PDB file of all heavy atoms in Angstrom:
ATOM      1  N   ASP O 180      49.087 -36.445 -21.500  1.00 92.00           N
ATOM      2  CA  ASP O 180      47.831 -36.482 -22.176  1.00 92.00           C
ATOM      3  C   ASP O 180      47.585 -37.879 -22.801  1.00 92.00           C
ATOM      4  O   ASP O 180      46.840 -38.072 -23.736  1.00 92.00           O
ATOM      5  CB  ASP O 180      47.700 -35.428 -23.257  1.00 92.00           C
ATOM      6  CG  ASP O 180      48.760 -35.632 -24.385  1.00 92.00           C
ATOM      7  OD1 ASP O 180      49.628 -36.567 -24.274  1.00 92.00           O
ATOM      8  OD2 ASP O 180      48.753 -34.883 -25.371  1.00 92.00           O
ATOM      9  N   SER O 181      48.224 -38.852 -22.184  1.00 90.00           N
ATOM     10  CA  SER O 181      48.197 -40.215 -22.671  1.00 90.00           C
ATOM     11  C   SER O 181      46.762 -40.817 -22.696  1.00 90.00           C
ATOM     12  O   SER O 181      46.418 -41.743 -23.445  1.00 90.00           O
ATOM     13  CB  SER O 181      49.106 -41.101 -21.899  1.00 90.00           C
ATOM     14  OG  SER O 181      48.798 -41.121 -20.528  1.00 90.00           O
ATOM     15  N   GLN O 182      45.898 -40.344 -21.791  1.00 91.00           N
ATOM     16  CA  GLN O 182      44.543 -40.892 -21.655  1.00 91.00           C
ATOM     17  C   GLN O 182      43.478 -40.052 -22.399  1.00 91.00           C
ATOM     18  O   GLN O 182      42.312 -40.307 -22.306  1.00 91.00           O
ATOM     19  CB  GLN O 182      44.148 -41.008 -20.178  1.00 91.00           C
ATOM     20  CG  GLN O 182      45.075 -41.908 -19.378  1.00 91.00           C
ATOM     21  CD  GLN O 182      45.002 -43.320 -19.864  1.00 91.00           C
ATOM     22  OE1 GLN O 182      45.913 -43.826 -20.551  1.00 91.00           O
ATOM     23  NE2 GLN O 182      43.888 -44.011 -19.630  1.00 91.00           N
ATOM     24  N   LEU O 183      43.975 -38.988 -23.042  1.00 94.00           N
ATOM     25  CA  LEU O 183      42.999 -38.118 -23.775  1.00 94.00           C
ATOM     26  C   LEU O 183      42.742 -38.665 -25.184  1.00 94.00           C
ATOM     27  O   LEU O 183      43.649 -38.910 -25.979  1.00 94.00           O
ATOM     28  CB  LEU O 183      43.630 -36.712 -23.901  1.00 94.00           C
ATOM     29  CG  LEU O 183      42.675 -35.582 -24.423  1.00 94.00           C
ATOM     30  CD1 LEU O 183      41.707 -35.274 -23.365  1.00 94.00           C
ATOM     31  CD2 LEU O 183      43.526 -34.380 -24.872  1.00 94.00           C
ATOM     32  N   PRO O 184      41.470 -38.929 -25.467  1.00 92.00           N
ATOM     33  CA  PRO O 184      41.075 -39.440 -26.814  1.00 92.00           C
ATOM     34  C   PRO O 184      41.266 -38.360 -27.839  1.00 92.00           C
ATOM     35  O   PRO O 184      40.356 -37.536 -28.065  1.00 92.00           O
ATOM     36  CB  PRO O 184      39.601 -39.850 -26.646  1.00 92.00           C
ATOM     37  CG  PRO O 184      39.355 -39.876 -25.218  1.00 92.00           C
ATOM     38  CD  PRO O 184      40.287 -38.875 -24.582  1.00 92.00           C
ATOM     39  N   LYS O 185      42.373 -38.316 -28.500  1.00 90.00           N
ATOM     40  CA  LYS O 185      42.770 -37.160 -29.259  1.00 90.00           C
ATOM     41  C   LYS O 185      41.978 -37.068 -30.554  1.00 90.00           C
ATOM     42  O   LYS O 185      42.088 -35.954 -31.229  1.00 90.00           O
ATOM     43  CB  LYS O 185      44.271 -37.199 -29.547  1.00 90.00           C
ATOM     44  CG  LYS O 185      45.116 -37.141 -28.278  1.00 90.00           C
ATOM     45  CD  LYS O 185      46.572 -37.153 -28.532  1.00 90.00           C
ATOM     46  CE  LYS O 185      47.400 -37.180 -27.243  1.00 90.00           C
ATOM     47  NZ  LYS O 185      47.110 -38.429 -26.439  1.00 90.00           N
ATOM     48  N   ASP O 186      41.246 -38.013 -30.921  1.00 94.00           N
ATOM     49  CA  ASP O 186      40.505 -37.894 -32.184  1.00 94.00           C
ATOM     50  C   ASP O 186      39.323 -36.935 -32.039  1.00 94.00           C
ATOM     51  O   ASP O 186      38.913 -36.242 -32.981  1.00 94.00           O
ATOM     52  CB  ASP O 186      39.960 -39.261 -32.638  1.00 94.00           C
ATOM     53  CG  ASP O 186      39.092 -39.990 -31.582  1.00 94.00           C
ATOM     54  OD1 ASP O 186      39.278 -39.638 -30.354  1.00 94.00           O
ATOM     55  OD2 ASP O 186      38.271 -40.782 -31.928  1.00 94.00           O
ATOM     56  N   ARG O 187      38.801 -36.809 -30.774  1.00 96.00           N
ATOM     57  CA  ARG O 187      37.675 -35.891 -30.580  1.00 96.00           C
ATOM     58  C   ARG O 187      37.835 -34.931 -29.427  1.00 96.00           C
ATOM     59  O   ARG O 187      37.047 -33.985 -29.312  1.00 96.00           O
ATOM     60  CB  ARG O 187      36.398 -36.744 -30.350  1.00 96.00           C
ATOM     61  CG  ARG O 187      36.051 -37.644 -31.530  1.00 96.00           C
ATOM     62  CD  ARG O 187      34.757 -38.394 -31.217  1.00 96.00           C
ATOM     63  NE  ARG O 187      34.848 -39.259 -30.057  1.00 96.00           N
ATOM     64  CZ  ARG O 187      34.291 -38.977 -28.888  1.00 96.00           C
ATOM     65  NH1 ARG O 187      33.571 -37.936 -28.752  1.00 96.00           N
ATOM     66  NH2 ARG O 187      34.428 -39.854 -27.903  1.00 96.00           N
ATOM     67  N   PHE O 188      38.825 -35.207 -28.529  1.00 97.00           N
ATOM     68  CA  PHE O 188      39.012 -34.316 -27.394  1.00 97.00           C
ATOM     69  C   PHE O 188      40.244 -33.437 -27.644  1.00 97.00           C
ATOM     70  O   PHE O 188      41.248 -33.884 -28.245  1.00 97.00           O
ATOM     71  CB  PHE O 188      39.276 -35.163 -26.152  1.00 97.00           C
ATOM     72  CG  PHE O 188      38.045 -35.845 -25.578  1.00 97.00           C
ATOM     73  CD1 PHE O 188      37.380 -36.802 -26.301  1.00 97.00           C
ATOM     74  CD2 PHE O 188      37.612 -35.487 -24.345  1.00 97.00           C
ATOM     75  CE1 PHE O 188      36.278 -37.484 -25.745  1.00 97.00           C
ATOM     76  CE2 PHE O 188      36.476 -36.155 -23.774  1.00 97.00           C
ATOM     77  CZ  PHE O 188      35.836 -37.102 -24.503  1.00 97.00           C
ATOM     78  N   SER O 189      40.142 -32.212 -27.164  1.00 96.00           N
ATOM     79  CA  SER O 189      41.308 -31.320 -27.164  1.00 96.00           C
ATOM     80  C   SER O 189      41.216 -30.427 -25.937  1.00 96.00           C
ATOM     81  O   SER O 189      40.157 -30.233 -25.324  1.00 96.00           O
ATOM     82  CB  SER O 189      41.280 -30.424 -28.413  1.00 96.00           C
ATOM     83  OG  SER O 189      40.147 -29.595 -28.425  1.00 96.00           O
ATOM     84  N   ALA O 190      42.381 -29.966 -25.527  1.00 97.00           N
ATOM     85  CA  ALA O 190      42.411 -29.085 -24.342  1.00 97.00           C
ATOM     86  C   ALA O 190      43.466 -28.035 -24.549  1.00 97.00           C
ATOM     87  O   ALA O 190      44.444 -28.222 -25.342  1.00 97.00           O
ATOM     88  CB  ALA O 190      42.736 -29.912 -23.076  1.00 97.00           C
ATOM     89  N   GLU O 191      43.315 -26.932 -23.854  1.00 95.00           N
ATOM     90  CA  GLU O 191      44.339 -25.891 -23.972  1.00 95.00           C
ATOM     91  C   GLU O 191      44.396 -25.131 -22.598  1.00 95.00           C
ATOM     92  O   GLU O 191      43.457 -25.079 -21.870  1.00 95.00           O
ATOM     93  CB  GLU O 191      44.070 -24.930 -25.109  1.00 95.00           C
ATOM     94  CG  GLU O 191      42.731 -24.198 -24.998  1.00 95.00           C
ATOM     95  CD  GLU O 191      42.520 -23.289 -26.263  1.00 95.00           C
ATOM     96  OE1 GLU O 191      43.165 -23.487 -27.279  1.00 95.00           O
ATOM     97  OE2 GLU O 191      41.596 -22.439 -26.174  1.00 95.00           O
ATOM     98  N   ARG O 192      45.571 -24.573 -22.365  1.00 95.00           N
ATOM     99  CA  ARG O 192      45.848 -23.732 -21.172  1.00 95.00           C
ATOM    100  C   ARG O 192      46.825 -22.694 -21.649  1.00 95.00           C
ATOM    101  O   ARG O 192      47.983 -22.733 -21.246  1.00 95.00           O
ATOM    102  CB  ARG O 192      46.370 -24.593 -20.034  1.00 95.00           C
ATOM    103  CG  ARG O 192      46.294 -23.857 -18.716  1.00 95.00           C
ATOM    104  CD  ARG O 192      46.932 -24.661 -17.606  1.00 95.00           C
ATOM    105  NE  ARG O 192      46.761 -23.983 -16.336  1.00 95.00           N
ATOM    106  CZ  ARG O 192      47.478 -24.216 -15.262  1.00 95.00           C
ATOM    107  NH1 ARG O 192      48.471 -25.131 -15.281  1.00 95.00           N
ATOM    108  NH2 ARG O 192      47.312 -23.548 -14.119  1.00 95.00           N
ATOM    109  N   LEU O 193      46.335 -21.756 -22.408  1.00 82.00           N
ATOM    110  CA  LEU O 193      47.191 -20.855 -23.124  1.00 82.00           C
ATOM    111  C   LEU O 193      48.083 -20.012 -22.229  1.00 82.00           C
ATOM    112  O   LEU O 193      49.284 -19.798 -22.545  1.00 82.00           O
ATOM    113  CB  LEU O 193      46.348 -19.995 -24.046  1.00 82.00           C
ATOM    114  CG  LEU O 193      45.636 -20.744 -25.201  1.00 82.00           C
ATOM    115  CD1 LEU O 193      44.758 -19.803 -26.010  1.00 82.00           C
ATOM    116  CD2 LEU O 193      46.651 -21.414 -26.081  1.00 82.00           C
ATOM    117  N   LYS O 194      47.618 -19.442 -21.182  1.00 86.00           N
ATOM    118  CA  LYS O 194      48.409 -18.548 -20.345  1.00 86.00           C
ATOM    119  C   LYS O 194      48.782 -19.160 -19.024  1.00 86.00           C
ATOM    120  O   LYS O 194      49.197 -18.462 -18.123  1.00 86.00           O
ATOM    121  CB  LYS O 194      47.678 -17.233 -20.142  1.00 86.00           C
ATOM    122  CG  LYS O 194      47.420 -16.449 -21.409  1.00 86.00           C
ATOM    123  CD  LYS O 194      46.745 -15.070 -21.155  1.00 86.00           C
ATOM    124  CE  LYS O 194      46.580 -14.299 -22.460  1.00 86.00           C
ATOM    125  NZ  LYS O 194      45.929 -12.978 -22.214  1.00 86.00           N
ATOM    126  N   GLY O 195      48.679 -20.464 -18.941  1.00 84.00           N
ATOM    127  CA  GLY O 195      49.047 -21.176 -17.752  1.00 84.00           C
ATOM    128  C   GLY O 195      48.121 -20.950 -16.583  1.00 84.00           C
ATOM    129  O   GLY O 195      48.507 -21.223 -15.455  1.00 84.00           O
ATOM    130  N   VAL O 196      46.882 -20.438 -16.871  1.00 91.00           N
ATOM    131  CA  VAL O 196      45.954 -20.278 -15.791  1.00 91.00           C
ATOM    132  C   VAL O 196      44.654 -21.016 -16.103  1.00 91.00           C
ATOM    133  O   VAL O 196      44.554 -22.183 -15.806  1.00 91.00           O
ATOM    134  CB  VAL O 196      45.659 -18.778 -15.541  1.00 91.00           C
ATOM    135  CG1 VAL O 196      44.665 -18.553 -14.394  1.00 91.00           C
ATOM    136  CG2 VAL O 196      46.971 -18.005 -15.233  1.00 91.00           C
ATOM    137  N   ASP O 197      43.731 -20.365 -16.778  1.00 96.00           N
ATOM    138  CA  ASP O 197      42.478 -21.024 -17.122  1.00 96.00           C
ATOM    139  C   ASP O 197      42.704 -22.125 -18.178  1.00 96.00           C
ATOM    140  O   ASP O 197      43.713 -22.114 -18.945  1.00 96.00           O
ATOM    141  CB  ASP O 197      41.520 -20.022 -17.763  1.00 96.00           C
ATOM    142  CG  ASP O 197      41.063 -18.970 -16.758  1.00 96.00           C
ATOM    143  OD1 ASP O 197      41.546 -19.021 -15.603  1.00 96.00           O
ATOM    144  OD2 ASP O 197      40.282 -18.120 -17.117  1.00 96.00           O
ATOM    145  N   SER O 198      41.772 -23.058 -18.232  1.00 97.00           N
ATOM    146  CA  SER O 198      41.876 -24.077 -19.216  1.00 97.00           C
ATOM    147  C   SER O 198      40.534 -24.404 -19.810  1.00 97.00           C
ATOM    148  O   SER O 198      39.480 -24.238 -19.148  1.00 97.00           O
ATOM    149  CB  SER O 198      42.455 -25.434 -18.566  1.00 97.00           C
ATOM    150  OG  SER O 198      42.515 -26.474 -19.470  1.00 97.00           O
ATOM    151  N   THR O 199      40.523 -24.906 -21.027  1.00 97.00           N
ATOM    152  CA  THR O 199      39.289 -25.310 -21.680  1.00 97.00           C
ATOM    153  C   THR O 199      39.456 -26.719 -22.210  1.00 97.00           C
ATOM    154  O   THR O 199      40.517 -27.079 -22.786  1.00 97.00           O
ATOM    155  CB  THR O 199      39.008 -24.381 -22.911  1.00 97.00           C
ATOM    156  OG1 THR O 199      38.906 -23.063 -22.399  1.00 97.00           O
ATOM    157  CG2 THR O 199      37.658 -24.794 -23.536  1.00 97.00           C
TER     158      THR O 199
END
Side-chain angles (χ1 to χ4, degrees):
Chain O
D180 63 355
S181 57
Q182 299 296 106
L183 190 72
K185 298 182 182 62
D186 56 336
R187 298 183 300 107
F188 286 65
S189 64
E191 60 183 15
R192 194 184 184 200
L193 293 176
K194 296 184 178 180
V196 181
D197 295 0
S198 177
T199 303

